[in-house]
């Protein structure tokens, strides 16, 4: 079953995060993607699954983030599970923000820790004033609800510089790192300890989803 495979990948990601912590590498929080389908699958409670993984691998809940899409944030059936995950100490983030159909009021229903702005806004930043306006407004929105804003798809140095000028300090994209397998990510942690949880706001955000493959 597909959801069992997804759950297995998520558990493996938790195991790796625990291994890196035990090795003294101080990895940043690991982001786990959760789909709307997984939120509504009655055969596997997402909250129970993730909390079991935290206990099994002796992980501090703060070392894990759960990323959901805007459509996932709208799922009534999943609100309770997401709240349980949050109450356990795991941060919730909206992935690909700006591409879904969530109303702003829906964002207030969940204690959102971060908004990850879709890469399409960055691609059009140099040719579309509207994209720049949306980025600026999204940063203000994140601040108004007490969330952090991260921009996805940053591939060029000029993009990062322009985003810094708009007030952003958290980025993700090929400018910093391509997706890495577990061994490559571990090497990166050893070479760049500033990626850890104590890093400044301007620290690099690295895609780690591939680490569970």
């Amino acid at each position: 079953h597909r959801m069992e495979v997804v759950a297995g990948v998520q558990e493996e990601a938790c195991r790796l995060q625990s291994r890196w912590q035990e090795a003294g590498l101080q990895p940043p929080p690991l982001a786990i993607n959760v789909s709307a389908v997984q939120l509504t699958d009655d055969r596997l409670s997402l909250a129970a699954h993730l909390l079991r993984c935290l206990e099994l691998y002796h992980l501090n809940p703060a070392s894990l983030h759960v990323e959901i899409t805007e459509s996932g944030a709208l799922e009534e059936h999943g609100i309770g599970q997401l709240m349980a995950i949050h109450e356990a100490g795991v941060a919730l983030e909206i992935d690909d923000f700006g591409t879904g159909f969530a109303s702003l009021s829906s964002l207030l229903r969940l204690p959102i820790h971060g908004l990850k702005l879709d890469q399409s806004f960055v691609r059009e930043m140099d040719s579309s004033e509207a994209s720049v306006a949306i980025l600026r407004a999204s940063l203000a929105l994140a601040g108004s609800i007490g969330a952090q804003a991260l921009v996805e798809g940053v591939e060029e140095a000029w993009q990062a510089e322009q985003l810094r000028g708009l007030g952003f300090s958290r980025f993700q994209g090929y400018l910093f790192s391509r997706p890495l397998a577990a061994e490559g990510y571990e090497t990166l942690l050893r070479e760049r300890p500033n990626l850890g949880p104590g890093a400044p706001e301007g620290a690099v955000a690295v895609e780690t989803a591939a680490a569970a493959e």
Side-chain angles (χ1 to χ4, degrees):
H1 187 267
R2 181 185 175 189
M3 286 301 101
E4 292 175 349
V5 173
V6 171
V9 171
Q10 292 168 343
E11 179 172 341
E12 174 65 2
C14 290
R15 185 189 70 80
L16 289 169
Q17 181 77 333
S18 176
R19 188 182 79 184
W20 294 324
Q21 289 180 355
E22 290 176 355
L25 297 179
Q26 296 187 321
L30 179 69
I32 289 182
N33 294 97
V34 171
S35 69
V37 174
Q38 191 176 15
L39 280 172
T40 56
D41 193 323
D42 292 326
R43 288 165 291 189
L44 176 67
S45 166
L46 175 66
H49 167 62
L50 292 182
L51 297 184
R52 183 187 69 82
C53 289
L54 289 173
E55 182 178 0
L56 180 62
Y57 297 108
H58 309 289
L59 282 174
N60 185 321
S63 65
L64 193 67
H65 287 184
V66 164
E67 294 182 0
I68 55 176
T69 61
E70 289 177 69
S71 58
L74 286 172
E75 289 290 345
E76 289 288 341
H77 186 71
I79 294 294
Q81 294 212 53
L82 292 172
M83 287 301 298
I85 291 169
H86 165 74
E87 289 168 3
V90 176
L92 304 178
E93 297 183 333
I94 302 290
D95 194 21
D96 298 332
F97 182 73
T99 60
F101 301 97
S103 65
L104 296 183
S105 61
S106 70
L107 297 180
L108 301 179
R109 301 172 61 192
L110 290 168
I112 299 299
H113 173 81
L115 300 180
K116 300 185 71 173
L117 308 185
D118 186 68
Q119 59 183 340
S120 60
F121 301 121
V122 176
R123 285 200 303 264
E124 300 172 6
M125 193 167 50
D126 62 335
S127 60
S128 169
E129 292 183 5
S131 289
V132 175
I134 290 172
L135 286 166
R136 186 179 287 113
S138 297
L139 180 62
L141 172 62
S144 70
I145 62 174
Q148 296 181 341
L150 179 148
V151 185
E152 299 177 312
V154 180
E155 299 183 355
E156 305 288 343
W158 70 265
Q159 293 173 329
E161 189 62 28
Q162 187 169 342
L163 289 165
R164 289 189 185 97
L166 293 176
F168 290 94
S169 60
R170 302 180 70 230
F171 315 104
Q172 176 175 302
Y174 287 178
L175 177 62
F176 308 106
S177 175
R178 291 180 178 271
L180 297 170
E183 295 77 10
Y185 182 57
E186 183 170 327
T187 299
L188 186 67
L189 288 174
R190 294 184 186 280
E191 294 176 347
R192 300 167 68 179
N194 66 313
L195 292 177
E201 279 298 300
V204 176
V206 181
E207 294 182 6
T208 58
E213 294 178 354

